[in-house]
Amino acid sequence: MKTLSLNVFLRVTKGVKPYRSNLFSFHQYRRQDYSTPSAISNKKPYYVTTPIFYVNAAPHIGHLYSLILTDVLKRWQVLLGKKAILCTGTDEHGMKIQRAAHKAGQDVRTFCDQNYKSFEFLAERAEISQDHFIRTSDPDHRFAVQHFWLMLKQRGYIYASKHEGWYAVSDETFYPASAVQLTLDPSTGRKFMASTETGKEVEWTSENNYHFRLSAFKDRLLKFYGDNPEFVVPASRMNEVIQAVTAGLEDLSVSRPIERLSWGIPVPDDDTQTIYVWLDALINYLTKANYPFQIPGQENAAGWPADCHVVGKDIVRFHCIYWPAFLMALDLPLPNQVLTHAHWTLGHEKMAKSTGNVVNPFFALDRFGVDTMRYYLIHDGGIQDDADYENSYIIQRYKKGLQGGLGNLASRLVRGKGWSVQEAVRAAADGEQPAAGSLASLHRKLLMALPEKTSANFTALDSGAALKEIMNVIYATNKYMQIMQPWDLVGKPDTAAEMHSIIYLCAESLRICGILLQPYMPRTMARLLDMLGVASNARRYENTLLGSDFTYGKSLIELGKSTEGVLFPPLRSNN
């Protein structure tokens, strides 16, 4: 294969103002963490990504949902004892951003520099454990995209041609005539052409640009889907992808004339064209995996191929058809899975920035707290079907699951009058007989099965189902404690062993569930495990075996009295 000269990149980046440097060099853009072979582990870390978010408007609750879904997956891997990498960021190129900046009366670079911060702050505010926050306007990403483009062109997958069709600026994609229709805006009476898929307005364009030979990948894609039937989750969307590819693929327009789209990454060897925003955006997942600077023999050290892309159902086509085809064209490894989640509605109507029918995630986090929102969004959020957002639902989940379930159990145990969790744990360690009776036996079986059930749900990328499994054990433990009534055994020498066995089984339930709930509510579960006295090095998945820890029981923190220091205090407002 012909080797591309670095001079190509030096030439195409000359005089470009939006970037911090106009010169690209191999050494300048190698990531510091991976600059030498000795700094890299041969073992591939788990690599999970969020979609990157358009900066044309403020974040909404759907962005927060994507972030938390992804973060829970990453934290689960960490709980398993694995190294994991999470990448998120902002998509800052394209006509949508260009027009939004113009409408705001700002220079596009200034507009992006200002607006990306709210997404970065949202990730910080929601305690997302990201390792990378990428901006598609970053120089290292620009380099990766232009390198990728030149490799596609060198292999013959890019060609120049005239393109005519309907383009949706809001979706940043072309639609065939069969996918658009005449639409009436009932509020204004205005008629316009719109996408039948998204309802967004389209405009007719005719232009000379570059195309990618997507049609050449139909058979390879179908074989890949057949060999990897769980590539797209859930299965219903996998079927939709297969149907779309089976129906046939047209070559894809992958650039726009610079007079129409000036804000983006220039085509390396044609300064009259700007690279299509979706080709640009998708490559972000590679950029933060050190593409194209992986060290031979250690290409996986920064995470690629991705273990999971988390995306909304509206961008399935780009991630599950276009992206695999782009990667196939360069013989690069494909991501293992794409988790495609459903949307949130408000008042059972689609949330949309354009109509203002959105939920401000910062207000929600400030009102209900970070871990409450993390819990609610995973518990109620949809993978297959859309979920309706409602403050009253959050309050219900808080009162039943968090305050009345988890918080109540914790308070009962660690603040119980007349017993000591530490003494109960010591009694179990000394071989005292476990709680007797069929109810206790059933509860032990429930606890023994919980870790594997939780793990199986995470393997299926269903963190919501895993959460419900854990919470069912919490509810069952409260019920068990209520039936056994250990408080009636306090102060009776002949029933001390029975009381210890009941308290120990309940404490084990809380310990095991607390460990498994860490990916969902990291800060609150850290406090819960501190209250139980669980050592910091005994909080991994391997520690969730019933009876595997006899060292806890003495709180590591002040417990406080009344509502002071409780896990989930009463809400300030029930409205």
Side-chain angles (χ1 to χ4, degrees), residues 88-373:
T88 188
T90 47
D91 188 351
E92 301 183 11
H93 290 144
M95 192 168 290
K96 181 193 293 191
I97 307 301
Q98 186 174 289
R99 289 187 178 181
H102 179 75
K103 185 177 180 181
Q106 289 183 298
D107 168 77
V108 192
R109 164 56 74 175
T110 302
F111 180 81
C112 292
D113 285 347
Q114 174 182 303
N115 286 16
Y116 92 90
K117 293 176 182 177
S118 60
F119 290 92
E120 189 174 48
F121 180 60
L122 179 62
E124 178 185 338
R125 181 73 179 84
E127 299 184 6
I128 305 302
S129 56
Q130 83 261 20
D131 300 273
H132 303 298
F133 189 97
I134 188 172
R135 300 177 62 192
T136 56
S137 58
D138 286 339
D140 59 345
H141 178 67
R142 173 188 173 105
F143 188 92
V145 171
Q146 291 186 317
H147 179 87
F148 197 98
W149 175 281
L150 287 170
M151 293 296 98
L152 288 175
K153 186 174 182 183
Q154 187 180 53
R155 291 186 173 209
Y157 289 115
I158 286 182
Y159 65 94
S161 179
K162 185 175 183 179
H163 186 88
E164 291 186 331
W166 295 100
Y167 191 80
V169 173
S170 182
D171 301 329
E172 292 286 14
T173 189
F174 281 100
Y175 288 105
S178 60
V180 300
Q181 64 183 9
L182 186 63
T183 302
L184 176 69
D185 183 341
S187 61
T188 64
R190 175 175 168 265
K191 295 181 179 180
F192 59 93
M193 297 299 291
S195 161
T196 56
E197 179 183 342
T198 66
K200 301 298 184 182
E201 185 170 356
V202 297
E203 55 191 40
W204 181 259
T205 62
S206 177
E207 60 192 35
N208 292 313
N209 55 29
Y210 289 97
H211 287 64
F212 171 72
R213 298 186 190 278
L214 182 64
S215 59
F217 292 89
K218 176 182 175 180
D219 293 340
R220 284 183 66 181
L221 285 169
L222 291 174
K223 184 179 186 306
F224 172 75
Y225 301 147
D227 293 342
N228 300 274
E230 296 180 347
F231 174 61
V232 181
V233 177
S236 60
R237 296 201 186 99
M238 179 79 261
N239 292 334
E240 291 170 2
V241 167
I242 292 172
Q243 290 171 9
V245 175
T246 301
L249 297 173
E250 296 181 357
D251 287 354
L252 181 68
S253 171
V254 288
S255 73
R256 305 298 306 276
I258 198 166
E259 61 267 17
R260 289 190 173 173
L261 177 61
S262 59
W263 179 246
I265 298 177
V267 169
D269 48 2
D270 185 349
D271 58 10
T272 69
Q273 295 280 319
T274 303
I275 295 174
Y276 175 48
V277 65
W278 268 107
L279 175 56
D280 164 0
L282 288 164
I283 294 169
N284 94 87
Y285 306 127
L286 276 175
T287 300
K288 289 307 178 184
N290 284 355
Y291 177 84
F293 297 132
Q294 296 97 335
I295 295 172
Q298 300 190 18
E299 293 86 348
N300 297 336
W304 195 261
D307 291 270
C308 183
H309 292 316
V310 177
V311 302
K313 66 179 183 178
D314 55 324
I315 52 177
V316 168
R317 174 161 44 103
F318 304 100
H319 285 83
C320 304
I321 300 177
Y322 298 171
W323 184 222
F326 292 150
L327 293 168
M328 285 177 176
L330 299 190
D331 295 321
L332 291 172
L334 273 59
N336 293 336
Q337 287 185 291
V338 182
L339 173 60
T340 66
H341 64 75
H343 291 163
W344 285 89
T345 58
L346 184 60
H348 299 285
E349 296 290 335
K350 182 179 178 181
M351 289 194 191
K353 301 173 190 174
S354 57
T355 61
N357 190 48
V358 293
V359 174
N360 185 316
F362 296 106
F363 291 172
L365 290 166
D366 288 342
R367 177 177 179 183
F368 296 110
V370 172
D371 280 353
T372 299
M373 288 304 300

Side-chain angles (χ1 to χ4, degrees), residues 295-559:
I295 295 172
Q298 300 190 18
E299 293 86 348
N300 297 336
W304 195 261
D307 291 270
C308 183
H309 292 316
V310 177
V311 302
K313 66 179 183 178
D314 55 324
I315 52 177
V316 168
R317 174 161 44 103
F318 304 100
H319 285 83
C320 304
I321 300 177
Y322 298 171
W323 184 222
F326 292 150
L327 293 168
M328 285 177 176
L330 299 190
D331 295 321
L332 291 172
L334 273 59
N336 293 336
Q337 287 185 291
V338 182
L339 173 60
T340 66
H341 64 75
H343 291 163
W344 285 89
T345 58
L346 184 60
H348 299 285
E349 296 290 335
K350 182 179 178 181
M351 289 194 191
K353 301 173 190 174
S354 57
T355 61
N357 190 48
V358 293
V359 174
N360 185 316
F362 296 106
F363 291 172
L365 290 166
D366 288 342
R367 177 177 179 183
F368 296 110
V370 172
D371 280 353
T372 299
M373 288 304 300
R374 289 175 65 103
Y375 175 87
Y376 166 70
L377 290 175
I378 298 297
H379 189 283
D380 279 29
I383 299 299
Q384 177 69 51
D385 301 312
D386 291 348
D388 198 51
Y389 183 96
E390 172 59 57
N391 284 342
S392 64
Y393 299 160
I394 304 175
I395 294 169
Q396 288 172 20
R397 299 289 175 259
Y398 185 87
K399 288 185 172 181
K400 178 186 176 183
L402 301 182
Q403 188 180 46
L406 194 54
N408 182 47
L409 180 59
S411 292
R412 275 176 150 184
L413 272 173
V414 302
R415 295 181 173 188
K417 295 180 178 180
W419 63 68
S420 161
V421 172
Q422 187 176 34
E423 288 180 9
V425 173
R426 283 176 179 170
D430 291 341
E432 196 169 87
Q433 290 296 313
S438 58
L439 189 59
S441 178
L442 286 172
H443 199 77
R444 280 193 290 272
K445 289 179 180 178
L446 194 65
L447 280 178
M448 291 171 68
L450 180 61
E452 286 191 11
K453 283 186 175 181
T454 305
S455 181
N457 281 311
F458 268 100
T459 299
L461 301 180
D462 196 344
S463 55
L467 176 58
K468 292 179 177 70
E469 288 280 3
I470 301 167
M471 292 308 298
N472 283 339
V473 171
I474 293 294
Y475 301 139
T477 306
N478 270 317
K479 184 177 180 180
Y480 170 75
M481 195 172 190
Q482 188 64 35
I483 292 172
M484 300 309 294
Q485 298 187 356
W487 41 85
D488 288 345
L489 306 177
V490 173
K492 300 177 182 179
D494 57 335
T495 59
E498 183 183 357
M499 182 190 70
H500 283 156
S501 66
I502 294 169
I503 296 303
Y504 175 67
L505 188 55
C506 293
E508 277 291 88
S509 301
L510 192 59
R511 180 186 70 84
I512 291 168
C513 289
I515 291 172
L516 293 174
L517 285 170
Q518 288 177 103
Y520 301 94
M521 298 177 284
R523 185 178 294 269
T524 308
M525 289 308 98
R527 179 171 177 78
L528 169 63
L529 295 171
D530 283 347
M531 290 168 70
L532 279 174
V534 178
S536 60
N537 63 352
R539 301 181 180 188
R540 286 189 172 182
Y541 179 80
E542 64 190 30
N543 304 116
T544 58
L545 181 67
L546 177 63
S548 63
D549 185 357
F550 293 112
T551 65
Y552 72 99
K554 183 179 180 181
S555 179
L556 303 175
I557 56 175
E558 289 293 328
L559 296 176

